[in-house]
Amino acid sequence: VRIALDAMGSDAAPRTEVAGALLALKDLGSDVTILLVGERAAIEAEIEAADATDRDGLQIVHAPDRITSSDSPASAVRRKPESSIAVGLRLQQDGKADAFVSAGSTGAVMAGSLLLLDRLPGVDRPAIGTMIPTVRGPILMLDAGANVDCKPQHLVQFAKLGNIYAKDLMGLERPRVGLLNIGEEAAKGNEVSLETYAILSESELEFVGNVEGSDIIRGTCDVLVCDGFVGNVLLKFYESVAAYLIRLLRSDRKQGGRRERLEEIVRVLA
Amino acid sequence: VRIALDAMGSDAAPRTEVAGALLALKDLGSDVTILLVGERAAIEAEIEAADATDRDGLQIVHAPDRITSSDSPASAVRRKPESSIAVGLRLQQDGKADAFVSAGSTGAVMAGSLLLLDRLPGVDRPAIGTMIPTVRGPILMLDAGANVDCKPQHLVQFAKLGNIYAKDLMGLERPRVGLLNIGEEAAKGNEVSLETYAILSESELEFVGNVEGSDIIRGTCDVLVCDGFVGNVLLKFYESVAAYLIRLLRSDRKQGGRRERLEEIVRVLA
């Protein structure tokens, strides 16, 4: 298996990527080759500095350019054909890699994948899947922001994509697929969710029905299906609440006021 | 001012309602009359037990029936004309009360209000407003669940309703109105939010633009406008996260495991 890895995607690139590649090689064994895509000199320096004993599985594919957050995601791969994302995706397109992984611009990777790799048969639109924490462990939510206006067939396709992901990457034999909605009953929801519910009920998936906002943290499903508008709002809200709480927890001992503010928030809502 | 109060709405009715009415009278002074609507004998017993010094502002309007959670909200007021909600709304309809307040079925109150009181001129649909906590204090979110499929003009009307509410009940001179969306820029969002943004930008409101999921807890607006689908999911999610946290905080000293689980959740998301 040959995995192309964007070495220029993260804030601390390529240090993080090189460290991650070395960890992955240790985990995955000798069947795997990792193609580090990015500025050759910078990557070589990081490999040198990492002082790893086994770097046989590593190769470098030079890509002099880099997509940044100021590039328009939709056109970035076309405008910067020598960027690490464009070069990495072309490796997969040309059959020189089996997969491409990037911590860089989600939008650019998605738009570039559509342009160079196209979609699987039966999939009209790509979705962004993201793992979100629950009390029973992480679950997969999709779409987290790629498609803000969805038709029922799109949500059904997301359910099928999520089902495959949960089987192959989360190791679940029969993932429980839930539809994010405003009530448990089949008759609840907006037009899109009513029709989606009907199709999913007839599907071969392990459809556990509607999942309300209050059920998410309980982990009542493994794959949570929603449109990209709701998914994006929910993900960003969850992240910000968590970031706020971690600040509160850390400052707990020093400042009593913050703890009280947290307790006020939970009191109002509980 | 005469306020009709559903005395049978809460779980501990009519005790909570009688206690609340007595508190309100103390606060609001002698200009206010509260009409307690519900089972006369039960209300009289609670007033007796409350042993209040000043009950001159209290009147009882007998209503022998009661709407419960097993009644269909849409038809409850029609099917139970002698319920406290139906009787209370008719007091307002007949000009015998200036307002009606209930802690009972939100859906039944909303459907009954539409049936008996109709809407204000220029308002096509009622919205459910709810106060949600932020680090800067509570803000008003609407719609929290009444309208799951909204057109731009509905969201604009919610913005105007919220603006009035924030002025009159939150005491804000010029409330900051925000539109829940998936990005800050005007060009972000789904079809409905793009059009809503354009209309609100031209309006006389203090429109502060798009509010992302991550901005909510920061309290960057006073009135947060969204459709009832997103609003309902968000509200229920927020409530459940808060309820979970309060459990964790309370069990903090006893069980280290729970605290660790919370820290795992915030670590994954932060």
Side-chain angles (χ1 to χ4, degrees):
Chain A
V1 182
R2 297 152 306 165
I3 301 169
L5 174 63
D6 176 6
M8 317 309 288
S10 75
D11 287 341
R15 178 161 305 166
T16 318
E17 285 79 355
V18 167
L22 291 167
L23 277 175
L25 285 177
K26 212 182 278 178
D27 257 22
L28 299 170
S30 58
D31 289 353
V32 172
T33 303
I34 295 183
L35 309 167
L36 286 160
V37 186
E39 289 165 43
R40 180 181 298 276
I43 298 170
E44 273 171 352
E46 286 301 338
I47 295 177
E48 209 57 46
D51 194 31
T53 48
D54 191 9
R55 40 183 99 160
D56 288 350
L58 283 191
Q59 290 177 23
I60 301 175
V61 178
H62 184 57
D65 209 356
R66 190 168 172 164
I67 290 171
T68 69
S69 59
S70 59
D71 293 309
S72 153
S75 57
V77 162
R78 244 173 312 175
R79 289 193 188 182
K80 291 188 169 176
E82 294 312 311
S83 63
S84 55
I85 291 177
V87 171
L89 285 170
R90 279 207 305 276
L91 287 173
Q92 189 177 346
Q93 184 188 25
D94 296 343
K96 291 175 186 158
D98 302 300
F100 175 65
V101 177
S102 173
S105 162
T106 306
V109 171
M110 199 188 73
S113 303
L114 268 178
L115 183 73
L116 299 176
L117 306 175
D118 210 345
R119 294 147 299 169
L120 296 170
V123 177
D124 291 326
R125 294 186 187 182
I128 298 173
T130 189
M131 302 301 293
I132 61 171
T134 76
V135 298
R136 290 204 209 165
I139 66 169
L140 176 70
M141 177 174 82
L142 76 174
D143 175 19
N147 308 278
V148 293
D149 287 295
C150 288
K151 297 206 163 74
Q153 69 262 31
H154 300 134
L155 296 180
V156 171
Q157 290 169 8
F158 300 164
K160 292 180 179 174
L161 287 169
N163 185 57
I164 296 170
Y165 186 98
K167 278 186 178 179
D168 290 357
L169 281 99
M170 297 161 71
L172 301 170
E173 210 168 300
R174 198 145 170 75
R176 298 162 302 155
V177 176
L179 178 65
L180 186 60
N181 208 333
I182 61 160
E184 281 186 12
E185 309 87 341
K188 288 278 187 173
N190 55 17
E191 287 173 26
V192 171
S193 59
L194 288 172
E195 206 177 320
T196 306
Y197 187 100
I199 303 173
L200 288 176
S201 299
E202 300 289 311
S203 75
E204 76 287 3
L205 299 172
E206 180 73 14
F207 180 52
V208 296
N210 289 330
V211 170
E212 291 191 79
S214 47
D215 297 327
I216 298 172
I217 200 170
R218 288 195 257 280
T220 56
C221 66
D222 305 304
V223 176
L224 181 61
V225 175
C226 59
D227 74 47
F229 190 94
V230 183
N232 183 278
V233 166
L234 205 59
L235 177 64
K236 287 183 179 164
F237 179 67
Y238 202 174
E239 284 174 345
S240 67
V241 170
Y244 176 63
L245 292 174
I246 213 168
R247 272 211 318 280
L248 284 170
L249 286 171
R250 280 183 183 150
S251 62
D252 209 3
R253 280 143 219 141
K254 279 171 275 176
Q255 292 167 271
R258 292 209 171 178
R259 170 103 185 202
E260 279 154 29
R261 221 194 293 161
L262 169 65
E263 286 183 337
E264 191 192 314
I265 285 185
V266 292
R267 192 171 57 243
V268 174
L269 279 171
Chain B
V1 182
R2 298 150 305 165
I3 301 168
L5 174 64
D6 176 7
M8 317 310 286
S10 75
D11 287 343
R15 177 162 306 167
T16 317
E17 285 79 355
V18 168
L22 290 168
L23 276 175
L25 284 177
K26 213 181 280 180
D27 257 22
L28 299 170
S30 58
D31 289 352
V32 171
T33 303
I34 295 182
L35 309 167
L36 286 160
V37 186
E39 289 164 46
R40 181 181 296 276
I43 297 170
E44 273 171 351
E46 286 300 340
I47 295 177
E48 209 55 48
D51 194 29
T53 49
D54 191 8
R55 39 183 100 159
D56 288 350
L58 283 190
Q59 291 177 22
I60 301 174
V61 178
H62 184 58
D65 209 355
R66 190 170 175 165
I67 290 171
T68 69
S69 58
S70 59
D71 293 309
S72 154
S75 56
V77 162
R78 243 172 313 174
R79 289 194 188 180
K80 292 189 167 175
E82 295 311 311
S83 63
S84 55
I85 291 178
V87 171
L89 284 170
R90 279 205 306 274
L91 287 173
Q92 190 177 345
Q93 185 187 25
D94 296 343
K96 291 176 187 158
D98 302 299
F100 175 65
V101 176
S102 173
S105 162
T106 305
V109 172
M110 199 187 75
S113 302
L114 268 178
L115 183 73
L116 299 177
L117 305 176
D118 209 345
R119 294 147 300 168
L120 296 171
V123 177
D124 292 326
R125 295 186 186 181
I128 298 173
T130 187
M131 301 301 292
I132 60 171
T134 75
V135 298
R136 291 204 210 164
I139 66 169
L140 176 70
M141 178 174 81
L142 76 172
D143 176 20
N147 308 277
V148 293
D149 286 295
C150 287
K151 297 206 166 73
Q153 70 262 30
H154 300 134
L155 295 182
V156 172
Q157 289 169 8
F158 301 164
K160 292 180 179 175
L161 288 169
N163 185 58
I164 295 170
Y165 186 98
K167 278 186 178 180
D168 290 356
L169 281 98
M170 296 160 72
L172 301 171
E173 209 167 302
R174 196 144 172 77
R176 298 163 302 154
V177 177
L179 178 65
L180 187 60
N181 207 333
I182 62 160
E184 280 185 13
E185 309 86 341
K188 288 278 185 173
N190 55 17
E191 286 173 28
V192 171
S193 58
L194 288 172
E195 206 177 320
T196 306
Y197 186 101
I199 303 173
L200 288 176
S201 300
E202 302 288 311
S203 76
E204 77 287 2
L205 299 172
E206 179 75 13
F207 180 51
V208 296
N210 289 330
V211 171
E212 292 192 79
S214 47
D215 297 327
I216 298 172
I217 200 171
R218 289 194 257 280
T220 57
C221 67
D222 306 304
V223 177
L224 181 61
V225 175
C226 58
D227 74 47
F229 190 93
V230 182
N232 182 279
V233 167
L234 207 57
L235 177 64
K236 288 184 179 164
F237 180 67
Y238 202 176
E239 285 174 343
S240 66
V241 170
Y244 176 63
L245 291 173
I246 214 169
R247 272 211 317 278
L248 284 168
L249 286 171
R250 280 183 182 151
S251 63
D252 207 4
R253 280 142 220 144
K254 279 171 274 175
Q255 291 165 273
R258 291 209 172 179
R259 171 105 184 202
E260 282 154 27
R261 221 194 292 162
L262 170 64
E263 286 183 337
E264 191 191 313
I265 285 185
V266 291
R267 193 170 58 242
V268 175
L269 278 173

